Amino acid sequence: MARSETVFVCQECGWQASRWQGQCAQCHTWNSLVEEPLAGPSVVAKKVNSTISSLTLPEVERLSRSFSRFSSGYDELDRVLGGNDKDVGIVRGAVLLVSGEPGIGKSTLLTQIGLKTVMGTKDTQKQAVIAYLCGEENPEQILLRINRLQAFEAKENSKQKKTDPSWHFFTTQSIDKALVALSKLQPDLVIVDSVQSFRSEELTGAAGSVGQVRAVTSVVTQWAKEHTTPVFIVGHVTKDGGIAGPKVLEHIVDVVIEISGERTSDLRLVRTYKNRFGATDEVGVFRMMEQGFVEVSNPTDVLVQQGTSGTPGSVLAGILEGTRPLLIELQALVVRSNLAMPRRVGRGVGLSRIQVLAAVLEKHCKLQVSQYDVFLSVAGGIVVHEPAIDLGFAVAIASSLANKPVPRSYAFIGEVGLLGEVRSVPYADSRARSAQRLGVEKIFSHQSHKTVAAVLQELGIR
Ligand code: TYD
Ligand code: MG
């Protein structure tokens, strides 16, 4: 009997080798290569002959012909998904991968989208048919969540007459069987929760392996295009932030949605980092509450605490999340250190940034930061990567050190250079305008001050 063709696939990055080796040559992970059957001509031929005759290649023009969208029910999410003024939201036939850490709320958000889905127009409203492929939880668990969320939804929109969707659960682990059943059901929306818990009968590997995850995603994608039905696929992420197993998954799907947030905070940011139907620079802001995801249309209410005004070490800064300017609160606590190497601790901000700011304040503003422990945090539990918060943090450190508060009517926008200079940041005007809309009277930035020392002098905290 001829030996079946196999290939060794790295479970981290998807790199393939013809024979086993200890280390992946692409991502250098050790012991990550697993033998998988090669999806060669034999598999394709089998597929053509198989009973799943609908699993043929998708017709490209068919998608473009019926390229239309419907609302996810959430303005915050629709904006992230893109579209023009009249037509925003979920594209029919799109495959959307929803990624995020376990427990962040992927199943919750998809359940809520299902509940909000309304097919037809206002006058010709018809019941939406939702297919839920449950690989992770059993249908009873999901139904419990649906009923609970539906009760909240009904209370909120008691005046609106809305047809509740009909839910259909699929408990098989085989994606091929599920798709055959889906073709019969003709649902309006499909939820696959999660891709790691399904397997394709074409391959022998266990559910969750790179080969399986890829196979499951590609058959689901073919099905979605063929039936012009949108499919949400849940994908877990690993500790270091990659979608568990293969990066290859991202290439197959149309949209990659990421839900992020701190476990300790109820704030959830939803953004796309791949979107074939729109820009990837928008962010939707939600809070995880008892009633599930709740839209936050004015994030500053969450990101700026009311009680901290007038406390030394608290300042406002204008940041950009995607293309959206946000006003956030930065906090610093500076206390005398009894360590030879004082502590530098940050939450929502990188350590090297704190060290640079401390050194700049020491050298160019003559503040004795080196004898103090510095703790910095971004209120609300978000993580900020852009350097535009430098100036805010520098002022917060100085304010805490001098024990002098900074007025709440001031906001700070600017990167701080190694020479103590305030640098310009992209979209400074839109950040400033948004801060002013929220009641900020004076903006400190590259335009108003050339150095950090000058900013501190004007504030009287130097
Ligand atoms: P879940 O959607 O199950 O997360 P994931 O699918 O990403 O693993 O949500 C998990 C958490 O969300 C759970 O710890 C409880 C919380 N939660 C709420 O706070 N409110 C709710 O209405 C629901 C359904 C969940
Ligand atoms: Mg889940």
Side-chain angles (χ1 to χ4, degrees), residues 10-304:
C10 170
Q11 300 293 297
E12 292 295 322
C13 69
W15 182 75
Q16 299 186 349
S18 58
R19 49 175 71 188
W20 189 84
Q21 57 192 62
Q23 190 185 23
C24 170
Q26 183 167 284
C27 67
H28 308 299
T29 314
W30 287 95
N31 284 331
S32 61
L33 262 57
V34 169
E35 188 175 16
E36 285 175 10
L38 189 67
S42 62
V43 176
V44 175
K46 213 171 90 199
K47 201 181 252 179
V48 173
N49 294 334
S50 75
T51 46
I52 314 154
S53 56
S54 58
L55 292 185
T56 47
L57 284 173
E59 298 159 40
V60 177
E61 350 89 76
R62 188 148 161 199
L63 174 65
S64 52
R65 242 186 285 140
S66 48
F67 187 82
S68 68
R69 298 174 183 259
F70 63 92
S71 171
S72 67
Y74 292 94
D75 292 342
E76 287 289 306
L77 187 62
D78 286 348
R79 216 192 36 246
V80 172
L81 292 174
N84 53 31
D85 292 344
K86 281 191 209 106
D87 203 19
V88 289
I90 304 164
V91 173
R92 286 173 220 271
V95 178
L96 307 99
L97 177 68
V98 180
S99 73
E101 285 175 28
I104 199 81
K106 299 180 293 296
S107 308
T108 308
L109 182 64
L110 293 183
T111 309
Q112 287 182 275
I113 293 173
L115 284 172
K116 290 249 182 195
T117 304
V118 173
M119 301 319 292
T121 60
K122 246 183 202 151
D123 312 318
T124 62
Q125 200 182 97
K126 72 175 182 73
Q127 190 180 41
V129 178
I130 317 271
Y132 203 118
L133 276 57
C134 10
E136 259 173 33
E137 301 159 292
N138 54 34
E140 290 78 18
Q141 267 174 303
I142 298 168
L143 202 60
L144 218 61
R145 181 167 61 230
I146 292 173
N147 287 340
R148 218 171 57 74
L149 292 170
Q150 197 157 29
F152 279 112
E153 166 93 22
K155 218 183 287 170
E156 244 170 66
N157 305 323
S158 53
K159 284 196 198 87
Q160 259 174 292
K161 269 238 163 69
K162 186 179 155 300
T163 326
D164 289 330
S166 79
W167 294 85
H168 299 260
F169 300 103
F170 296 85
T171 49
T172 169
Q173 241 211 355
S174 154
I175 197 70
D176 310 285
K177 282 191 189 135
L179 290 180
V180 172
L182 281 186
S183 304
K184 280 204 201 102
L185 179 68
Q186 296 286 348
D188 297 303
L189 186 77
V190 180
I191 298 168
V192 182
D193 192 357
S194 67
V195 66
Q196 280 98 353
S197 54
F198 285 91
R199 54 190 309 282
S200 165
E201 283 164 22
E202 305 287 355
L203 294 183
T204 51
S209 68
V210 173
Q212 282 295 357
V213 165
R214 196 171 26 199
V216 169
T217 311
S218 49
V219 288
V220 167
T221 306
Q222 286 180 19
W223 185 91
K225 305 290 177 221
E226 214 160 276
H227 294 78
T228 41
T229 304
V231 181
F232 281 97
I233 302 182
V234 172
H236 292 297
V237 296
T238 51
K239 258 186 265 126
D240 50 6
I243 295 168
K247 271 286 205 189
V248 281
L249 234 164
E250 292 173 18
H251 304 300
I252 308 175
V253 300
D254 298 310
V255 183
V256 181
I257 301 172
E258 182 199 44
I259 307 179
S260 60
E262 293 273 320
R263 279 285 182 89
T264 47
S265 143
D266 61 4
L267 199 71
R268 296 286 180 270
L269 299 181
V270 178
R271 53 161 75 81
T272 55
Y273 59 95
K274 167 183 175 172
N275 192 351
R276 284 188 182 147
F277 311 110
T280 52
D281 49 11
E282 283 294 347
V283 59
V285 184
F286 291 87
R287 288 178 84 172
M288 180 62 126
M289 317 266 278
E290 199 192 344
Q291 61 269 44
F293 276 74
V294 177
E295 289 177 285
V296 178
S297 30
N298 186 6
T300 296
D301 293 346
V302 184
L303 297 171
V304 178

